Amino acid sequence: MIRLAIQKSGRLSEDSLKLIRECGISFVNSSLKLKTEATNFPLEILFLRDDDIPEYVADGVADIGIVGQNVLVEANQQALEVQALGFSKCRLSIAVPKTDTFNSIADLNGKNIATSYPNILGNYLAAHNVKAQIHTISGSVEIAPSIGLAEAICDIVSSGSTLISNGLREVEHVFKSEAVLISNQNLSEEKQQIIKQLLFRIQSVQKAQKSKYILLNAPNDSIEKIKSLLPGMKAPSILPLAEAGWSSVHSVVNEDDFWEIIEKLKDAGAQGILVVPIEKMIL
């Protein structure tokens, strides 16, 4: 059995549990419990503070964990980043009062910057030869300029609405982050095999989320043109229809290319196009 550490509450926790369920793993979850065990996979889930997850994984209390890259890098623990998970995307940015003039990162020389991420910020400033005073605070970082604690802040940004409501504006993007699966560096062969099985499921779910299954009807004299527009996993499946001179074409299209390809398919003569979500995709 392996132990997975995830955040005990919040959006990252919800998305992590959703991913585990999409991998076909069943468990009972309760807000009152700090751990739960899967009923159909050798997995125990621990619910922890996100800041504690890198240390728990590095120390071997948990075998793997799901945590934001920003938390992992800031913690500077000896845990391996195994897989980017594609959710809980955000950025760590420097912001200043919207009325302040800001031309470049050099403007921060000699200034005070409030942040909950002193290590990431310190490395960024050093890389840009900026010498500023870093004030480490936890929570409510955005209030620092208005109370005279700092001239700038460095904090996590998703939509930017919190900055705007506090009279701030982004001026530098310091670090891009998303949820990642991390692992202890010294796992037994047995646990590595279980993690490999879990990764296989996660990657199958991720591939499905990025793809659409499409079905369409087309006249046979348009098939070659339509085939050239459909990359698919290997080649589209083509089945004859009851109506002479027509075929049904089945394929998989990448989500990012979907609308552009659909337009081209219509122009090539495709009709009755159906789009179906994919639950799992195994190559």
Side-chain angles (χ1 to χ4, degrees), residues 91-95 114-117 141-142 153-157 163:
R91 58 193 179 274
L92 186 63
S93 295
I94 294 174
T115 186
S116 299
Y117 299 90
V141 175
E142 296 86 356
I153 70 163
C154 181
D155 201 22
I156 289 296
V157 178
L163 293 180

Side-chain angles (χ1 to χ4, degrees), residues 53-211:
I53 293 174
E55 182 177 359
Y56 272 59
V57 172
D59 291 346
V61 176
D63 303 305
I64 54 176
I66 296 178
V67 70
Q69 284 173 311
N70 56 304
V71 175
L72 175 63
V73 173
E74 181 63 29
N76 194 28
Q77 294 286 337
Q78 296 301 308
L80 298 174
E81 182 177 323
V82 178
Q83 178 81 32
L85 299 177
F87 55 82
S88 294
K89 291 185 177 181
C90 60
R91 58 193 179 274
L92 186 63
S93 295
I94 294 174
V96 300
K98 60 183 180 182
T99 54
D100 286 6
T101 300
F102 186 92
N103 298 309
S104 73
I105 188 70
D107 291 345
L108 294 176
N109 270 305
K111 300 293 180 66
N112 298 288
I113 308 175
T115 186
S116 299
Y117 299 90
N119 292 332
I120 295 177
L121 175 59
N123 291 336
Y124 184 82
L125 295 177
H128 289 79
N129 297 313
V130 172
K131 294 184 178 180
Q133 183 65 39
I134 297 175
H135 293 273
T136 304
I137 59 177
S138 59
S140 302
V141 175
E142 296 86 356
I143 200 175
S146 65
I147 62 175
L149 178 63
E151 290 82 24
I153 70 163
C154 181
D155 201 22
I156 289 296
V157 178
S158 293
S159 66
S161 59
T162 303
L163 293 180
I164 293 173
S165 64
N166 283 278
L168 303 171
R169 62 187 176 97
E170 282 183 86
V171 293
E172 289 282 328
H173 292 174
V174 174
F175 187 85
K176 288 185 177 180
S177 177
E178 65 179 283
V180 292
L181 182 71
I182 63 175
S183 171
N184 179 270
Q185 295 187 10
N186 302 299
L187 296 177
S188 67
E189 181 64 28
E190 180 183 1
K191 288 187 176 184
Q192 289 181 42
Q193 287 302 313
I194 297 173
I195 292 171
K196 186 176 180 180
Q197 294 173 29
L198 178 60
L199 272 174
F200 176 76
R201 297 190 186 198
I202 289 174
Q203 290 163 359
S204 297
V205 170
Q206 288 181 317
K207 289 169 186 171
Q209 290 171 342
K210 297 176 183 177
S211 303

